Amino acid sequence: FTKIFISNEKKEIELEISSVAYDYLFFFKQFTKIDLNEFCSIDKIGAKGIYRILLEFKNLANFDKKSSMKCIFFTKEEFMIRLNCYNETYKNSLGAFDKLIIKPAIKELEKGYFKKIVCNKIKNNPYDKKQITGFQLLYDDSNRNQVNKNIS
């Protein structure tokens, strides 16, 4: 930043950035735009991770005809890394990962951020329930514009 101005009365921060940084922020479409008010209002770390993923892939997600929802696939490792949960506890116990990270995150995000989110486990061998190789996120973000108006 080239200049920072903080107004306690208006509760605002004014930042001035260089023209090079401005170009990077506003003219490259591969960046994900996140409303900081909305992001900071999310409590759980897992919910913040899923929120980031869903916004990052909102234009790249496939459409699942069966559920009429957007669909994203991840390997088990990639999904856990993106959620900052790739450690031995969760890697070896997907039940704990599901109970402590995924379910509370989805519950929080469905309370106003997204209309519906489903996290399916992908298994290569249907007879071995412990052999999960990936995750599929299905989500409906049709209420996103309304969410942004409510939080602002």
Side-chain angles (χ1 to χ4, degrees), residues 60-89:
L60 302 174
N62 296 318
F63 190 75
D64 183 59
K65 292 176 187 173
K66 185 177 172 185
S67 66
S68 299
M69 293 172 32
K70 292 182 179 180
C71 177
I72 310 167
F73 292 94
F74 295 100
T75 65
K76 178 174 78 173
E77 290 78 16
E78 181 184 11
F79 189 62
M80 292 176 128
I81 289 168
R82 285 181 170 275
L83 293 179
N84 296 323
C85 297
Y86 194 69
N87 61 42
E88 292 303 313
T89 302

Side-chain angles (χ1 to χ4, degrees), residues 13-109:
I13 297 176
E14 189 176 311
L15 306 170
E16 185 177 293
I17 58 175
S18 70
S19 61
V20 173
Y22 184 85
D23 289 345
Y24 279 112
L25 288 173
F26 297 105
F27 295 109
F28 290 109
K29 299 295 181 190
Q30 70 266 22
F31 291 108
T32 302
K33 182 179 175 184
I34 292 179
D35 181 335
L36 288 178
N37 259 349
E38 188 175 86
F39 186 72
C40 290
S41 70
I42 299 171
D43 292 326
K44 295 178 178 31
I45 292 172
K48 287 184 185 223
I50 291 176
Y51 173 88
R52 277 193 329 265
I53 289 169
L54 297 182
L55 289 186
E56 181 181 345
F57 287 91
K58 72 179 177 182
N59 296 326
L60 302 174
N62 296 318
F63 190 75
D64 183 59
K65 292 176 187 173
K66 185 177 172 185
S67 66
S68 299
M69 293 172 32
K70 292 182 179 180
C71 177
I72 310 167
F73 292 94
F74 295 100
T75 65
K76 178 174 78 173
E77 290 78 16
E78 181 184 11
F79 189 62
M80 292 176 128
I81 289 168
R82 285 181 170 275
L83 293 179
N84 296 323
C85 297
Y86 194 69
N87 61 42
E88 292 303 313
T89 302
Y90 296 132
K91 191 172 125 181
N92 295 326
S93 174
L94 288 175
F97 179 67
D98 194 42
K99 181 180 176 183
L100 299 173
I101 304 294
I102 301 299
K103 286 182 181 177
I106 289 173
K107 186 176 180 181
E108 181 176 357
L109 291 174

